[in-house]
């Protein structure tokens, strides 16, 4: 019976997607003008891209307004990759624990202290989703945590979950722009960005804001999607690599990608110290196949059909994420540093 239901839902999904795609292709959607091959904006490009930035932010907010409930129902409160042992045989039950593990691995990589006198007491979660990382970090360190997101639906749900988990006096969430954070300089001991950097249209402004709100001696952790580093003889990605990333950008509301090396250069330009990075692509490899399998279940398919076109369009590019990782075009990177005291 379940196989018949899945087959029916798959057929219905295909029909709906085809119909929606025809309607979508007939609309006058203005494509985002991406800055090809780089993360750093020049002043001359800012005026040209201001309208694109607003359109991008609106798309991101609406995408997560639509899709966050589906994700939570299937995958829980953590809206990010999991961390797996390379070549491990992964069961469905392993995925939520893998999502917790990526948090712990990030803290370990950044050498965030756990002893009472040095542990972080004030944390910002930039691009907080429905607050999974914020609540986890608050519980772990007994810290106050502030989460920001472009999605009103996410902020409301995150606050509701905090209250339900007894953390309403420790964790708070609001709608805010990561490129213009509503916090004073030097407020936070730990600045945390788990898979939000890929949405930032101005990477220099992004890392500058992370550094601005960091207290002297604070740790900054960026876990994000990057494209591969360019070789010394390359000026840009290959045309076929750009085409692949552009398709993913259209599905997930992303601006231009940058490399891990680009992030390191930006952090160096801000005189941050103890900068280090690692490629965790191999460790997250089982994630996207698992997401696709969960989307093809009865619950996944029916929820997807009810969600809206933005979510469906995002689901359609998920296989391209697998392709990007397999071809070495996409890298899952962690970059950490400290603000000088």
């Amino acid at each position: 019976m379940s196989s018949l239901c899945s087959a029916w839902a798959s057929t219905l999904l295909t029909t709906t997607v085809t119909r929606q795609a025809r309607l979508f292709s007939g609309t006058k959607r203005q494509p985002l003008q991406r800055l090809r091959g780089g993360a750093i904006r020049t002043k001359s490009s800012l005026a040209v891209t201001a309208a694109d930035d607003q359109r991008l932010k609106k798309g991101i907010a609406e995408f997560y307004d639509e899709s966050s409930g589906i994700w939570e129902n299937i995958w829980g409160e953590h809206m990010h990759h999991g961390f797996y042992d390379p070549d491990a045989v992964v069961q469905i039950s392993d995925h939520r624990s893998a999502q917790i593990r990526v948090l712990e691995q990030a803290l370990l990589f950044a050498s965030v202290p756990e002893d009472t006198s040095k542990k972080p007491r004030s944390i910002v979660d930039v691009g907080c989703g429905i607050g999974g990382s914020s609540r986890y970090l608050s519980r772990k360190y007994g810290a106050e945590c502030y989460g920001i997101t472009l999605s009103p639906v996410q902020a409301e749900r995150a606050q509701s979950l905090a209250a339900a988990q007894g953390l309403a006096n420790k964790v708070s969430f609001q709608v805010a722009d990561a490129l213009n954070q509503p916090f004073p300089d030097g407020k936070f001991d730990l600045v945390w960005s788990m898979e939000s950097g890929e949405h930032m249209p101005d990477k220099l402004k992004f890392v500058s804001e992370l550094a601005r709100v960091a207290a002297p001696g604070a740790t900054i952790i960026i876990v994000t999607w990057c494209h591969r580093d360019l070789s010394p003889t390359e000026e840009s990605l290959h045309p076929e690599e750009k085409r692949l990333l552009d398709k993913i950008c259209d599905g997930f509301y992303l601006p231009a990608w940058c490399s891990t090396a680009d992030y390191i250069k930006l952090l160096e330009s801000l005189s941050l110290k103890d900068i280090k990075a690692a490629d965790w692509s191999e460790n997250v490899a089982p994630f996207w196949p698992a997401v696709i399998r969960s989307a093809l279940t009865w619950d996944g398919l029916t929820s997807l059909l009810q969600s809206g076109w933005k979510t469906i369009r995002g689901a359609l590019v998920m296989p391209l994420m697998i392709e990007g990782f397999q071809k070495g075009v996409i890298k899952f990177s962690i970059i950490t540093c400290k603000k000088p005291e």
Side-chain angles (χ1 to χ4, degrees):
M1 180 65 179
S2 61
S3 61
L4 287 174
C5 290
S6 294
W8 176 84
S10 181
T11 301
L12 183 57
L13 176 63
T14 302
T15 303
T16 303
V17 167
T18 302
R19 184 182 298 115
Q20 290 277 17
R22 287 171 180 165
L23 290 171
F24 185 75
S25 63
T27 62
K28 295 181 178 179
R29 186 173 71 99
Q30 295 180 333
L32 295 173
Q33 299 299 314
R34 299 188 188 90
L35 300 175
R36 304 292 176 175
I40 305 173
R41 282 201 174 146
T42 62
K43 290 182 180 179
S44 62
S45 69
L46 286 173
V48 176
T49 60
D52 287 330
D53 286 353
Q54 290 304 312
R55 195 156 54 246
L56 175 65
K57 291 171 185 175
K58 182 175 184 290
I60 292 168
E62 292 175 350
F63 175 72
Y64 286 111
D65 282 348
E66 274 191 11
S67 63
S68 295
I70 300 173
W71 182 274
E72 183 186 358
N73 289 341
I74 298 174
W75 278 77
E77 62 182 328
H78 293 283
M79 301 183 67
H80 54 74
H81 284 72
F83 190 97
Y84 309 83
D85 293 325
D87 302 320
V89 178
V90 180
Q91 306 298 323
I92 293 177
S93 58
D94 296 330
H95 294 300
R96 292 198 183 188
S97 60
Q99 289 178 301
I100 299 297
R101 188 178 176 193
V102 79
L103 307 182
E104 286 295 336
Q105 289 292 323
L107 296 168
L108 181 64
F109 183 83
S111 301
V112 177
E114 295 192 22
D115 60 276
T116 304
S117 62
K118 296 181 180 179
K119 67 182 181 180
R121 290 180 169 82
S122 183
I123 302 169
V124 62
D125 184 358
V126 180
C128 62
I130 58 171
S133 292
S134 300
R135 291 184 294 275
Y136 184 86
L137 295 170
S138 178
R139 281 191 296 265
K140 181 178 179 68
Y141 296 115
E144 291 186 343
C145 191
Y146 300 79
I148 59 173
T149 173
L150 290 174
S151 165
V153 170
Q154 286 188 335
E156 182 178 357
R157 180 58 179 159
Q159 199 66 57
S160 175
L161 288 170
Q165 296 173 20
L167 292 169
N169 63 334
K170 281 286 191 180
V171 184
S172 64
F173 303 92
Q174 62 181 298
V175 175
D177 184 356
L179 304 186
N180 187 23
Q181 297 184 35
F183 306 116
D185 296 356
K187 180 175 177 62
F188 301 106
D189 305 317
L190 175 60
V191 177
W192 176 273
S193 171
M194 174 61 67
E195 297 189 50
S196 63
E198 55 270 17
H199 282 297
M200 306 301 168
D202 187 335
K203 299 296 193 287
L204 177 56
K205 178 63 173 172
F206 171 52
V207 297
S208 296
E209 275 293 276
L210 299 183
R212 181 185 67 79
V213 300
T219 298
I220 299 172
I221 299 177
I222 304 168
V223 180
T224 189
W225 310 355
C226 294
H227 69 60
R228 65 173 178 82
D229 288 344
L230 302 180
S231 71
T233 60
E234 289 180 307
E235 293 186 359
S236 66
L237 295 172
H238 300 150
E240 65 274 15
E241 294 175 324
K242 290 181 180 180
R243 285 193 293 270
L244 173 64
L245 295 185
D246 282 349
K247 291 176 183 177
I248 294 171
C249 288
D250 288 339
F252 289 144
Y253 292 90
L254 306 179
W257 296 56
C258 72
S259 68
T260 308
D262 289 330
Y263 268 112
I264 291 172
K265 290 176 184 177
L266 291 174
L267 296 173
E268 289 173 343
S269 75
L270 298 173
S271 300
L272 297 167
K273 67 175 188 176
D274 299 338
I275 302 168
K276 59 180 181 176
D279 178 6
W280 284 356
S281 302
E282 189 176 9
N283 298 101
V284 303
F287 178 77
W288 284 103
V291 173
I292 291 173
R293 286 195 299 272
S294 68
L296 292 176
T297 62
W298 172 253
D299 287 342
L301 284 166
T302 53
S303 297
L304 191 60
L305 289 169
Q306 296 168 6
S307 64
W309 172 238
K310 288 182 172 64
T311 306
I312 293 172
R313 191 175 64 179
L316 292 175
V317 301
M318 291 192 297
L320 299 181
M321 290 294 296
I322 298 175
E323 180 181 347
F325 277 118
Q326 289 177 341
K327 291 182 174 179
V329 182
I330 298 175
K331 299 294 181 181
F332 188 86
S333 300
I334 178 168
I335 309 106
T336 68
C337 61
K338 291 186 182 295
K339 188 171 181 176
E341 297 191 36

